[in-house]
Amino acid sequence: MESVIALWNALPLVVQILLKIVVIMLPLMIMVAYYTYAERKVIGHMQVRMGPNRVGFFGFRLLGLGQPIADAVKLMFKEIVIPSGANKLLFLIAPMLSIAPALAAWAVFPFDAELALTHINAGLLYILALTSLGVYGVIIAGWSSNSKYALLGAMRSAAQIVAYEIAMGFALVGVLVAAGSLDLRQIVLAQQGSLLHWFWLPLLPLFVIYFISGVAETNRAPFDVAEGESEIVAGFHVEYSGMTFAVFFLAEYANMILISALSSLMFLGGWLSPFQGTALESWFDWVPGILWLLAKTLVFMFLFLWFRATFPRYRYDQIMRLGWKVFIPITIVWIVVVGLMKVYHTPWWFN
Amino acid sequence: MSFEKFLFYLFAALMIGAALMVITRRNPVHSVLFLVLAFFNAAGLWMLAEAEFLAIALVLVYVGAVMVLFLFVVMMLDINLAELRAGFVRNMPVALLVAVVMMVELALVLGPSRFGLDQYAAPAHRPADYSNTTELGLALFTRHLYAFEIAAVILLVGIVAAISLTLRRRPDSKYLDPGRQVTVKARDRLRVVRMQAEERE
């Protein structure tokens, strides 16, 4: 063990950071791959179908667990078609612009009290800034493909994301008022106590609005008018094929995982054990915090799939009404309520 | 040259390059994207100056929201380049004159005689746990509270004015009120009448 630590310390700083990034990215990419599988399987069962169940390993079907790998290999070997009137450079940059913020946001994400790539004291702001950049990938993809369906999809998506980003930002303002810090680690530590101390209860409206805005930000059903198969074929990525399409696909799922992880971090106590403060606390001491975080994240990830199988797509004017006229006023009111709770030291949460 | 200095010159050079591209590109969408790049490099420079709140707020507000709307508008515009460039040569001398005057003014005001190191000493490096955000918040909400609130009210008035100027009521709009929509019952729409059955002839 000591020799391993000595070897680690002997590595140059850049290599150390790169290795840490690999340690975060590799599980994330595997999660993204199997999230697509889970989506098809879960929605399949919700619609009384089997979902993918053919591709397995070494001649065993194994419930179709080989499907994501087969899909990835297929997409990698397909031709990338660039439309004749397209702006080639921007057309190829757009998928990168959409996946880069989704991955870069993990740089400040605390997986445990000590486990994070970096601790910065403006972590929440950093994440908010990065998630607001994802829209560029969509807009540039829509514009550079030189296709009317793609442009329509990009326009819808841009208006929707800008609208919901405001509600999302206000919800996070509530979190930072309650926690008194922009540092993600401090935000989790401020929720210590018990399951009832977590911010989901005092910030319940903000919690619900944050998650729904997250669904809208990632362009997922029922807010997926940017893709809207029945009206504009596939929206902003209609002209993309092969690996360029796959990167958009990866970005969407990576964003969903990010939103789920952030919701559990900011409203469900992150890595804190749900049995804290009860008689069961010492029984579950051996569970590492990262497993609690993973469990909470998986609940939200399942909600994304459940929403898609349950709700019909919103009409466009209804999306705008919900974002501007319902969510933003509610968040503003609740920020005032949180401020008052904080000033008057409401017992239980803010004493 | 220290690494920090290298980063400063890198960001500064990229920013000036991007700013030049903003005004020389023919395609307005490219110009907007180069402006985004310029904002990013400005954020990098501010980060080097240990103003992390301002740096991230620049990305969040300008890149994440304002430039998205810019891009949105520019993509929808149908710009006729020939028309735009028609008066270029004729207006060139005036434009050059204005540019030169502005350069001289800027050099006079911002020159080393006023903003040199002997006027403003280089800020001391802060420890890693120094929170720029907290300090900024304390300054804004104590010493500069009135100025801050007046600015907020002016912005609010601006928003209200912009909305009331552009709002138009359209009597032909077929808007449905979702609140009333969901409370509709079958009997509001359909009346079941009891009639005397007639015999078939």
Side-chain angles (χ1 to χ4, degrees):
Chain A
M1 193 64 205
E2 273 168 22
S3 61
V4 174
I5 293 172
L7 184 68
W8 173 258
N9 287 333
L11 287 172
L13 189 64
V14 179
V15 179
Q16 279 187 10
I17 295 175
L18 281 178
L19 281 176
K20 283 183 191 170
I21 292 174
V22 170
V23 168
I24 296 176
M25 280 304 116
L26 211 62
L28 183 67
M29 280 298 144
I30 293 171
M31 256 175 104
V32 168
Y34 277 90
Y35 198 13
T36 63
Y37 169 78
E39 168 161 48
R40 296 171 65 182
K41 220 45 182 173
V42 166
I43 294 182
H45 281 280
M46 282 180 179
Q47 297 169 345
V48 205
R49 296 183 284 113
M50 289 306 287
N53 63 352
R54 296 285 132 175
V55 190
F57 297 100
F58 311 112
F60 299 100
R61 281 190 185 156
L62 299 173
L63 300 165
L65 274 174
Q67 188 69 46
I69 296 165
D71 285 343
V73 171
K74 182 194 81 173
L75 283 168
M76 264 184 244
F77 285 100
K78 278 180 97 166
E79 185 190 355
I80 296 173
V81 182
I82 299 179
S84 56
N87 192 317
K88 222 179 237 170
L89 182 68
L90 288 182
F91 186 78
L92 293 177
I93 283 179
M96 299 176 211
L97 279 181
S98 85
I99 198 166
L103 300 182
W106 291 94
V108 297
F109 193 89
F111 298 96
D112 205 334
E114 302 301 327
L115 203 63
L117 186 65
T118 56
H119 282 303
I120 66 172
N121 54 17
L124 192 62
L125 260 184
Y126 171 84
I127 283 191
L128 204 56
L130 276 181
T131 46
S132 70
L133 297 181
V135 63
Y136 278 98
V138 174
I139 300 189
I140 293 174
W143 183 78
S144 66
S145 345
N146 193 28
S147 149
K148 58 185 89 158
Y149 291 130
L151 187 66
L152 280 174
M155 289 293 139
R156 287 176 173 201
S157 164
Q160 174 186 326
I161 289 180
V162 168
Y164 279 84
E165 210 169 80
I166 300 172
M168 207 166 181
F170 275 141
L172 295 187
V173 168
V175 172
L176 87 91
V177 169
S181 172
L182 280 169
D183 186 350
L184 290 170
R185 191 165 155 266
Q186 293 298 329
I187 289 173
V188 175
L189 291 179
Q191 305 179 44
Q192 238 162 4
S194 71
L195 200 139
L196 297 174
H197 280 81
W198 296 352
F199 284 158
W200 67 272
L201 199 52
L203 304 181
L204 190 62
L206 299 184
F207 170 44
V208 174
I209 286 174
Y210 178 79
F211 189 64
I212 296 176
S213 306
V215 177
E217 287 271 292
T218 47
N219 285 326
R220 291 287 299 182
F223 298 99
D224 58 345
V225 286
E227 296 175 18
E229 297 85 6
S230 52
E231 305 139 29
I232 51 173
V233 197
F236 62 93
H237 57 54
V238 69
E239 304 290 349
Y240 282 85
S241 62
M243 207 54 211
T244 51
F245 168 74
V247 171
F248 271 120
F249 205 67
L250 288 180
E252 180 177 331
Y253 284 80
N255 267 322
M256 284 154 68
I257 296 178
L258 181 68
I259 295 286
S260 308
L262 285 175
S263 309
S264 45
L265 198 69
M266 285 183 286
F267 297 100
L268 289 190
W271 64 79
L272 299 175
S273 155
F275 299 109
Q276 224 177 20
T278 64
L280 288 170
E281 186 179 354
S282 53
W283 293 23
F284 286 93
D285 264 351
W286 55 274
V287 181
I290 191 165
L291 281 189
W292 291 124
L293 180 67
L294 187 67
K296 292 166 189 171
T297 307
L298 287 175
V299 171
F300 287 110
M301 284 165 63
F302 181 75
L303 278 179
F304 269 101
L305 309 184
W306 198 359
F307 283 175
R308 180 167 170 200
T310 310
F311 298 120
R313 183 175 296 141
Y314 258 111
R315 214 170 59 206
Y316 194 70
D317 62 312
Q318 290 172 337
I319 289 185
M320 286 297 144
R321 178 180 163 276
L322 186 70
W324 289 105
K325 293 190 182 170
V326 180
F327 281 179
I328 295 177
I330 292 178
T331 48
I332 292 176
V333 168
W334 207 257
I335 286 172
V336 176
V337 173
V338 174
L340 288 176
M341 286 205 280
K342 187 89 178 169
V343 169
Y344 291 107
H345 294 285
T346 318
W348 194 255
W349 293 294
F350 302 113
N351 40 14
Chain B
M1 192 162 63
S2 70
F3 184 59
E4 207 170 313
K5 223 173 200 173
F6 165 74
L7 279 181
F8 173 81
Y9 283 113
L10 181 75
F11 283 135
L14 276 173
M15 185 170 154
I16 293 172
L20 280 176
M21 292 300 252
V22 173
I23 53 173
T24 52
R25 289 272 87 185
R26 296 223 175 131
N27 193 326
V29 172
H30 292 182
S31 294
V32 173
L33 291 175
F34 274 112
L35 192 54
V36 170
L37 184 64
F39 276 132
F40 259 113
N41 288 299
L45 286 178
W46 287 0
M47 198 69 101
L48 282 179
E50 300 185 3
E52 73 269 3
F53 178 80
L54 287 179
I56 301 178
L58 180 73
V59 173
L60 178 61
V61 175
Y62 280 90
V63 178
V66 175
M67 295 316 290
V68 172
L69 296 179
F70 259 61
L71 203 57
F72 197 90
V73 172
V74 163
M75 278 179 187
M76 305 294 268
L77 288 180
D78 184 23
I79 296 174
N80 188 351
L81 282 174
E83 206 174 281
L84 274 179
R85 270 181 293 169
F88 186 71
V89 178
R90 194 159 44 84
N91 294 332
M92 187 73 165
V94 185
L96 271 180
L97 186 72
V98 172
V100 168
V101 169
M102 273 173 67
M103 279 300 286
V104 171
E105 279 176 356
L106 281 176
L108 284 176
V109 175
L110 300 176
S113 60
R114 280 173 212 277
F115 281 88
L117 276 180
D118 47 333
Q119 306 285 338
Y120 291 92
H125 282 281
R126 303 288 187 175
D129 59 344
Y130 175 81
S131 176
N132 185 246
T133 317
T134 318
E135 294 300 319
L136 209 61
L138 282 177
L140 277 184
F141 286 103
T142 54
R143 230 175 334 140
H144 306 293
L145 182 64
Y146 289 127
F148 184 69
E149 296 205 327
I150 290 168
V153 170
I154 292 174
L155 280 176
L156 185 65
V157 171
I159 295 174
V160 173
I163 292 174
S164 62
L165 280 178
T166 51
L167 188 69
R168 49 184 181 143
R169 303 232 170 264
R170 294 180 53 184
D172 57 331
S173 150
K174 294 196 172 74
Y175 181 73
L176 298 170
D177 179 7
R180 286 178 54 211
Q181 238 177 330
V182 292
T183 57
V184 165
K185 298 277 183 313
R187 63 171 182 280
D188 299 338
R189 296 286 160 87
L190 185 77
R191 196 163 51 94
V192 180
V193 286
R194 189 178 292 276
M195 285 176 71
Q196 199 67 45
E198 285 178 23
E199 244 174 66
R200 191 190 247 181
E201 289 170 25

